[in-house]
Amino acid sequence: MTAIEPAPVMLPGQDLATIDRAVGDAVLRPATPLWWWGGFTIAVAFTGLFILAVEYLFIAGVGIWGIDIPVAWGFAIANYVWWIGIASGGTIISALFYLTQSEWRSAVNRIAESMTLFAAAAAAIMPILHLGRPSFFYWLFPIPNTMGLWPQFKSPLLWDFFAILAYVTASVLFWFLGLLPDLAMVRDRATTRGSRVFYGIAAMGWTGSHRQWRLHKSAYGLLAALMAPLVISVHSIVGLDFSGGLLPGWHSTQFSPFFVFGAVLSGFATVLLLVIPLRRLYRLEAFITQRHLDLLVTFLLLCSLLLAYSYFIDALLPFYGDDKFERATQLHRFTGDWAWSYWGAWSLNVVAPQILWVRALRRDWLICLIAFGVVVGMWLERIMLVASSLYEDFLPSSWGHYVPTLWDWLILFGSAGMAAAGFFLFLRYLPVLAAYELKEILPPPSRHGESQG
Amino acid sequence: MVFVIGWVGPSTGWATRVGYPVNQPVPFSHQHHVGGLGLDCRFCHTTVETSATAGMPPTYTCMTCHSQLWTNADVLAPVRASLKTDQPIEWVRVNQLPDYVYFNHSIHIAKGIGCATCHGRIDQMPLTEKAASLRMSWCVDCHRDPRPNLRPHDAVFDMGWQRSKDTPSGDQLVAQYHIKGAAELTSCSVCHR
Amino acid sequence: MSGLAAEFAAEAALVEAAGRLRQAGLRRIEAYTPYPVEALDDFLPRPRAILPVLVFAAGILGLAGGFLLQWYGAAVSYPLDIGGRPPASWPAFIPIAFEIAVLGAVTAGFIGFFALAGLPAPYQPIALLPGFERASQDRFFLVVDEADPRFAAADVASILGGFPCRVVPWRP
Amino acid sequence: MTEFGRRHLMQLVAASAALAGLSGCGPSETPEKMTPRVDQAPGETAGEASYVATAVVQEGFATGAILQHRMARPVKLEGNPDHPASLGAADAPMQGTVLDLYDPGRSAAVLSGGQIADWNRLALALAEKRRQWSKDGGTGLRILTGSISSPSLAAQLAALSQQYPAARWHSWEPLSRDNVAAGARLAFGKPVDALPQFDKADIVLGIESDAISAAPGHLAFARAFGARRRAAETGSGKMSRVYAIEATPTLLGAAADHRFALKPAEIELALRAIAAAVDAGPAEWRGSERPGWVDAVARDLAAHHGAALVHAGPEQSPAIHALACAINAALGAPLRHIEPVAADAPGLAELAAEMHDGKVETLLILGVNPAYDAPADLGFVEALKRVALSIELATHVDETAQLATFHVPALHMFEDWSDARAFDGTATILQPQIRPLVPGHSAPAMLALLAGTQDFSARDLVQDTWRQRVSGDFAAAWSGWLRKGVVDNTAAADAAVTLRRDFATALPKPAQTASALTVLLRPDPFLRDGAQANNGWLQELPRPFTRLTWDNAALIAPATAGRLGIASEELVDIARGGGKKVRLAAMVLPGQAEGVVTLSLGYGRRAIGAVGEGVGSDAGVLRVSTAPWQADDATLHATGQTYPLATTQQHQTMDGRDIVRTFSVDDLPKAAAAPERASLYPPYPKGDNAWGMAISLGSCIGCGACTAACQAENNIPVVGREQVMRGRAMHWIRVDRYWSDDVANPGARFQPVPCMHCEDAPCEVVCPVDATVHDTDGLNVMVYNRCVGTRFCANNCPYKVRRFNFFGYSGRDPRPAMSWNPDVTVRDRGVMEKCTYCIQRIRETKIAADRDNRPITDGEAKTACQQACPTEAIVFGDLNDAESAVRKRKASPLDYALLEELNTRPRTTYAAHVRNPNPEIKEG
């Protein structure tokens, strides 16, 4: 761990009531803060753009994008991998650190999981948009049909389809399970009839009886234990989407771990990017303390180094082996059309974060900046992997170029807007911290409400 | 129950149009011409043994008889009009395959598949209707194991033909016709190009 | 159930009280707390943990089903020559089988939880207990069922009287 | 409540699945109609193809063709194996004629002054004229046609000149071979056509020769040429050695073992030196400072007396042709000399002069377009204004149509009776393939109108012309000619030629033009003179060397470009002297001679139709009647602007990769038992046939006929310039062109790349929906209707042969529905497609064979590319058949699989390129 004498996970002076006030009232307060409206409006605007772009895509076809032969994959795939990567970071925080029983997790897991949810949703749309004939995407389901045909189970794309299916479903269930007791808390604090009904239904009649708690703990533990391997598998399979192919620069045995490292890195970065402003806006400094930031930063650095290792191996192996195509592709990555994306990934994902080793520099704004850099850098890495292997492969005669169009960019930013809009709704209408878990980690003496009287 | 609709629905007659007679410019009755008069299929569908398509009779074929019979029946007005104006009669397709499916009549006839196997008891249809779903799964069923549907050559055009104990067995016919194995017959390229 | 309910302000007292009631031989006790209190496990009735079994079973089922599905589809129902690869190549079936297994297990865990916890059930009689809305926030409730053979209102009341809590008889 | 909750959830899940099941499975939309004929047409079977012989006439010469008909409409043109000019092959422009037939841009109405006019107005006007001509013998009547080899048309013209002695017939062929005739006159004192016999030629010297690319009979020449280039590979006979001297790349130059890029002026000097060396000219011709190779080449030629020949392209000066004749004479070259096939007539210059002088009152323009392609100095457009009544017959409302008094829509050559002769004189009867699609008229009909013939019938005309030429049963002979597509023994007899004694002295002194920049004006490989500019197939067919589509460019040698500081895609202005300038993009092309810029004719059409108008720029404005092929006093100015060119190949060399293998004929690889490649996968149960293809790189000349044939056969849509630039061309078989790394004098290597039909296909494994799989014949089949468009297969194809419908290209394609091949699915938006080895032809053959329980004979199933290939470089067949041609080809030690280290086990393999260099020559 980084800290010499670790900052506390929760600042002193908290008790059950203060937690409820901090978490519950944020949801129930009648007035919606201005910053929320501002952010939400922008997000919705971008969602509008997204819908527009998708409409036109369905009308005109994928030809509106920059893709061509040889670069038949473009933004849609890069966005997909990018989003799913961001999502998995959230799951790691909530699931993996639950299993390791890290107390600090309790303050950030709800934010992380929700982020996961909307990122995964954004990711899940991309492959469908990517299809030449999106209306037939359901042919990937192994359902009985009038053609008597089945999907092709040996295709990495189909593996991926099942992975994303499992992952999105599981994430929703896991998220809701954790939300349940807090929904009950909000229900019981609710004053207006509307919110009573809404949260009443949402809480599904949770009473907090010891029996329920026991079941809840066991169920939550089991799901967490399943989510952890699931998220690893999902991104490993995403890696196989590429290494399943024989293209130089794709056909690599290390892609699965490589992709997971990157995924977790982008996940941590995104969580930081969300947590730092939120603790201010929601006055959550007491619960999300410097300790959390330190830990998140530490993991960010860890992943960044792991990724550096992958980048290094990826760049080294072609020259270690004797595959001339691999070598050529690697050189294209260094110097070709898309070299900027390659070096961008290096500098934003590997070089820049290292600044944060200096604890003195861990200012919120700098952390945010670097985290944002990582998020961008990871997207660069994805598009680099997609484009730079495709536009120059085996036969020089069929080498080509890849120039994204306006519609490519609209899809990218639009999807971000859509995910953001969802996240804003979560911020407004659902408890942003796992209140019951915070109560659990209160020091025993302060595990009480206001004294009676 | 929605599952049931989702999965059974496509196979219902409503979806496949099996058993739904189609309105034609001339209410031509196979029942009368085939069942009643005992015309052979090939009298009108002349290319069924040689070509991919069975062939639709030109107006002249109708007129071989109807220049003598029912010369002023109202139902035949379109036929006479066709001859007069030299405009073809536009029949409505009953057994419609998608454009990306390439069905060849001649090979099925050559390999001993009876007309009735796919077109049903045409000789009992006052108005022609679809007799089989023509779904891919339906085609593939027979391509996997054609034996139950194989007939001796002389029975191919026989509407009412039934297997009897002295008909050669499916396996014998497969051998006789040199019919290829399921793997080859269920290759995509057999029907799709 | 109905009987005596006690409302505590702090976890410690609740746990202690539960302990005393248990000593007094009372079995049918239920606690309502804003967060899981593991200490209560020793004093309160413990249902047998079938959820893990359920989840495990579902997982295995998913795994087997996944393999079966793929094997049947690729090798039995419509075997096709895919790039010269054998139709039933089990290594290629692993990822999907695994995903189906996990999906099955997670869903089973989720549904299993609600089923065993008797949820969703919007009507909870206990919620009628005055002040119970704080059970999910900063109050701790202990309810002793009068159906308990050892239940005697006076004794229970006296035991609970020894703690900083508000005791109320409770009928739904 | 809770119950509802659960059930509701279930229903949501179910509903989505249900939708999945339902969608697209309801009752089919509007049912199709079936329209049988009223009366059955003879010899027509619904659902089966029928084949009718005819010929395609290009620049006056006939090439035999067979049209594949579906329900009595032609959908595909194939070469006629019985025709000497085709031998079964068909070049791209020929195949394009089918698309021309269906061109929606065809003119369909008589026009006068741009307005739709009544045919009777024209008829009356001519009736008036006829009365006058019958008095004055046709004074002021002029007829302008292209080069004509049609006996019946010639007869008609002869009859007309009988009727109107004062009338004159002129002929104008923008791509004339006048220089060839002039050269022959210089050498032999009379014009003759010389037909090279490459099958007998051990040594070939091409002077910017078009013998295998465009000359009349080039398909036949290419066949013989290719056979000799393949000799080493088949082990049959001796491989020929080819030299090329040229200023701009030609296909023969690309195939040459030694290629020397010289400026036009230097070419004549070199040839004089060679002539002298082989005793075909005075010794002083040898010149003092000549490159070393000249003597070596001369020695090689001389050493192969009777088996060495020289062939020069039609754009070369008469002097060069004369020299070629002399050298050939000296070498006893394997040539056939025959009387000129095309009828001779005064040219356009004389006509223009008369028009300027106002001597022309009535001008009938038949199927030529001088307003577009007449040399600038003739001022034809102004001259035409001085003609009282000008009538133009053309298939499109072209540049001339807009100036002529009357424009008459012409019938396509497949729409009426006619006849024409091939390069060797062999005649063919052109029979109508389809009832006219537009209310048009034919050239004979127009001439008949002049003559005042009542109820004229082209059929009668042609029959009458030929009736005199047969003794005995004409009807039988006639039907025989029609069936065969050839009129028996009409080939021209040999013409005896002797070299003029005064030949050497009569030869004009070589022009000593020391110009910094010479502009060559050359026909476009596919558009030729631009008459087919409205043809999307030809516009989008990549040019052999530039891989350029939808544009012409100023082709400049790297060195010259460097000197002038010009880069590719930079717009330049090129002018002749002070004359009109043409603006077009520069393109740096290896193989160009230093200081030489080549421009393609046939572009910049101002009027022809939506497809062709404004494509490229009209280099024709630089032509003058005295020097139609070349401008020595040319100037070039960079404009500083750039203009993107739609090329289909971005990278021009092999980067040292093992792609096109090349061997010298002296050290060929030894036949070695190829080790069976190891594979983890168990062998698959295979069907009766195992289809495979072998492509001989040694005999591929890069003409692009295969690509054109594939496009026509497989309903491949035209995507347009903008989409080609975005890397979305749809051709299923592309011809890659690599420059060998020798920068100084690079050789071009052509490599046709169709789908390899890999046995362990990488594309199939990654498809999630079984849309591309193997069938039991080992074909890698693409099931369009199953494709959802993930495009992973395209990524994973190492050969990049897969094409994707990024838009609904087929829907955008202007060609009418009736012109598509009904045997091939027209692909929809969002699906992948690729070469299928012409699965439709394979299935047709298999079904036919299976129907009568017989095995398939070798060559029964031909792919379209194989069928069209002039050099038989492509061979396709059943690998299970030990006797099949493809098996024999693959047995050659030169046979190799592209990228075989990937172990994809392609069914398509290549025979390495073999060169036969002259050890005495180092350079070139």
Side-chain angles (χ1 to χ4, degrees), chain D residues 33-66:
Chain D
K33 290 284 169 47
M34 299 185 285
T35 52
R37 295 193 175 280
V38 173
D39 188 6
Q40 193 61 46
E44 167 196 311
T45 313
E48 296 294 297
S50 54
Y51 298 82
V52 183
T54 183
V56 173
V57 182
Q58 297 161 301
E59 285 132 47
F61 292 86
T63 311
I66 291 180

Side-chain angles (χ1 to χ4, degrees), chain D residues 338-371:
Chain D
I338 59 171
E339 301 299 333
V341 168
D344 190 28
L348 187 64
E350 296 83 338
L351 176 64
E354 287 189 324
M355 289 162 71
H356 279 293
D357 303 348
K359 295 214 191 75
V360 181
E361 294 159 18
T362 311
L363 176 61
L364 180 62
I365 304 171
L366 297 177
V368 285
N369 185 13

Side-chain angles (χ1 to χ4, degrees), chain D residues 177 180-181 184 188 191-197 211 215-216 221 309-312 321 324-325 328 334-340 423 497:
Chain D
R177 306 184 73 81
V180 186
F188 304 125
V192 287
D193 292 352
L195 313 180
Q197 294 168 297
F221 299 153
L309 68 82
V310 181
H311 184 274
H321 282 284
C325 293
N328 282 329
L335 294 169
R336 275 193 62 221
H337 290 102
I338 59 171
E339 301 299 333
F423 71 107
V497 292

Side-chain angles (χ1 to χ4, degrees), chain A residues 191-278:
Chain A
T191 48
T192 67
R193 169 152 187 75
S195 50
R196 276 227 190 81
V197 173
F198 176 77
Y199 295 104
I201 293 170
M204 290 186 162
W206 174 269
T207 58
S209 71
H210 187 62
R211 171 189 169 73
Q212 287 181 347
W213 277 123
R214 281 176 57 92
L215 279 165
H216 187 267
K217 222 173 173 50
S218 118
Y220 198 78
L222 286 164
L223 260 59
L226 289 164
M227 289 304 286
L230 175 62
V231 67
I232 304 290
S233 80
V234 167
H235 225 73
S236 305
I237 289 176
V238 173
L240 291 178
D241 284 348
F242 298 85
S243 51
L246 51 51
L247 285 164
W250 279 13
H251 192 62
S252 154
T253 46
Q254 71 138 353
F255 258 38
S256 292
F258 172 9
F259 271 51
V260 174
F261 298 153
V264 181
L265 174 67
S266 59
F268 279 118
T270 317
V271 171
L272 271 167
L273 212 48
L274 294 171
V275 159
I276 290 174
L278 276 180

Side-chain angles (χ1 to χ4, degrees), chain D residues 212 225-226 228-234 239-242 250-259 545 654 658-669 695-702 735-740 746-752 871 873 892-898 909-917:
Chain D
I212 60 170
F225 180 85
R228 288 301 297 271
R229 296 302 286 173
R230 205 166 43 237
E233 176 185 325
T234 51
M239 181 177 178
S240 62
R241 175 175 296 154
V242 179
T250 66
L251 295 188
L252 189 129
D257 301 299
H258 295 285
R259 179 181 178 279
F545 293 97
M654 282 181 260
D658 174 25
I659 295 171
V660 175
R661 291 186 187 168
T662 306
F663 294 96
S664 167
V665 73
D666 309 321
D667 57 354
L668 294 173
I695 301 177
S696 159
L697 298 176
S699 45
C700 171
I701 57 172
V735 182
D736 291 343
R737 188 267 304 116
Y738 297 104
W739 295 111
S740 67
R749 297 273 176 279
F750 293 108
Q751 181 175 43
T871 60
S892 157
L894 289 164
D895 184 80
Y896 72 98
L898 188 55
T909 56
Y910 294 90
H913 185 98
V914 180
R915 300 182 72 247
N916 181 13

Side-chain angles (χ1 to χ4, degrees), chain D residues 873-894:
Chain D
I874 301 175
V875 169
F876 169 84
D878 185 357
L879 299 175
N880 287 353
D881 173 359
E883 289 312 301
S884 65
V886 66
R887 267 280 283 274
K888 295 201 177 74
R889 282 271 186 104
K890 283 173 186 278
S892 157
L894 289 164

Side-chain angles (χ1 to χ4, degrees), chain A residues 355-370:
Chain A
I355 302 171
L356 294 177
W357 285 114
V358 187
R359 307 186 100 261
L361 288 178
R362 293 187 186 175
R363 304 278 163 67
D364 285 6
W365 66 268
L366 187 62
I367 299 176
C368 279
L369 192 66
I370 288 181

